[in-house]
Amino acid sequence: MARRKNYKRRRTILSNTFHLIRENGMDSVSFQMIAEKSGISKSLLQSYYPHKSGLIADVVRNILNTLDKQVQKFSATKEDEVCARTKAFIYAIEMLGIYDEGLKRIITEVFKSNESLDFWSQTINDWLKEKQLFDHLDFQPKEVRMGIAFVVTGISRLYYDNKKYEVSPEEIADYGTESFMYSFLHCSRKTIEKALKEGHDIIESTDIKTIHHAIDTMFDEDKEIVC
């Protein structure tokens, strides 16, 4: 019973944190605000999450996990075609920022400084390791880590200044995926072109409204959460 109660409370904390940072931005949300919205004391909140960074990381991990499930749902490729899904994944992030002002606020703030970029890269790396998406003999863990850091930085610049560079969400997804595959996974041109084509096919079948709804409701009681 205690474990169930703790899990339920953690879900409440994560849900309230997500909605608060979506509305106000990460820097404007304090532990006190989260505690008050969750109906608990600040000290009890900190017994679950001693540091704000850990709480934000769990929110981001749930966003990533929900996005990945949605991309897989729209994907017609094999389970191991992770690079095609990577392109569709990047595209979905870009589109969510266009579709929802609150999600755009979260994405933009994640991309705004070296500290937040480091946090984003580390969170993605931890999530990839947990999901074992690149646990393959041909993929070196160090190269994957460096590739993620490189791609996150590049994508953030294009996302932040997309009007300046006049690039579409799919073009940004192409640049990020191709750079990652060529420079860090050492894939052949044929393999890259195949992944980009398959990623395009996933995008063509994607319904951003469905993905947005999944993100919007990811902390509902009937949903499995990561924490």
Side-chain angles (χ1 to χ4, degrees):
M1 179 65 71
R3 173 179 284 183
R4 180 184 297 178
K5 184 176 180 180
N6 289 343
Y7 185 79
K8 183 177 180 179
R9 181 170 286 152
R10 196 177 292 269
R11 179 193 297 277
T12 299
I13 291 169
L14 289 171
S15 177
N16 289 331
T17 302
F18 172 62
H19 290 295
L20 281 169
I21 63 177
R22 187 176 178 177
E23 181 178 350
N24 302 287
M26 292 184 185
D27 293 341
S28 301
V29 174
S30 66
F31 261 10
Q32 188 62 43
M33 291 170 65
I34 298 167
E36 289 177 359
K37 190 171 180 64
S38 302
I40 59 177
S41 66
K42 182 179 176 181
S43 60
L44 181 55
L45 170 60
Q46 289 180 303
S47 72
Y48 285 88
Y49 289 100
H51 305 289
K52 184 179 174 182
S53 60
L55 178 50
I56 298 297
D58 266 4
V59 171
V60 172
R61 286 171 66 224
N62 277 279
I63 293 174
L64 296 176
N65 200 51
T66 303
L67 271 176
D68 182 55
K69 287 181 178 179
Q70 291 299 307
V71 168
Q72 287 191 59
K73 185 172 73 173
F74 288 109
S75 173
T77 60
K78 297 178 181 178
E79 182 67 23
D80 61 350
E81 293 293 349
V82 294
C83 292
R85 297 210 322 264
T86 297
K87 171 179 171 174
F89 189 88
I90 296 170
Y91 171 84
I93 291 175
E94 302 290 331
M95 288 301 297
L96 285 171
I98 294 172
Y99 191 82
D100 185 303
E101 191 65 32
L103 292 176
K104 180 180 180 180
R105 187 178 293 112
I106 294 174
I107 295 167
T108 301
E109 289 198 13
V110 166
F111 285 161
K112 73 180 181 180
S113 69
N114 286 334
E115 182 179 353
S116 57
L117 285 173
D118 288 343
F119 165 79
W120 183 243
S121 297
Q122 185 59 53
T123 302
I124 291 178
N125 273 308
D126 290 345
W127 176 74
L128 288 175
K129 185 176 181 180
E130 177 186 310
K131 300 285 286 186
Q132 299 180 320
L133 293 184
F134 287 95
D135 284 7
H136 190 282
L137 292 175
D138 295 333
F139 300 148
Q140 298 299 317
K142 181 180 179 181
E143 296 274 19
V144 171
R145 289 197 304 271
M146 289 192 300
I148 292 297
F150 179 85
V151 169
V152 167
T153 302
I155 289 174
S156 69
R157 173 55 61 190
L158 292 178
Y159 179 83
Y160 206 77
D161 291 330
N162 67 312
K163 291 183 179 179
K164 174 182 176 181
Y165 294 110
E166 298 182 341
V167 287
S168 68
E170 184 166 3
E171 286 176 319
I172 293 175
D174 277 339
Y175 294 142
T177 306
E178 184 172 359
S179 298
F180 183 51
M181 292 182 70
Y182 181 77
S183 298
F184 299 96
L185 302 185
H186 310 293
C187 297
S188 67
R189 173 54 54 185
K190 182 178 180 181
T191 301
I192 294 171
E193 290 177 353
K194 179 175 180 289
L196 295 181
K197 171 62 170 61
E198 290 178 348
H200 175 78
D201 292 342
I202 298 173
I203 288 170
E204 284 290 291
S205 67
T206 295
D207 179 6
I208 197 63
K209 290 183 179 180
T210 299
I211 294 177
H212 179 264
H213 178 72
I215 296 291
D216 201 39
T217 60
M218 63 185 175
F219 293 117
D220 285 3
E221 289 188 6
D222 61 331
K223 303 295 175 62
E224 182 181 352
I225 62 171
V226 179
C227 60

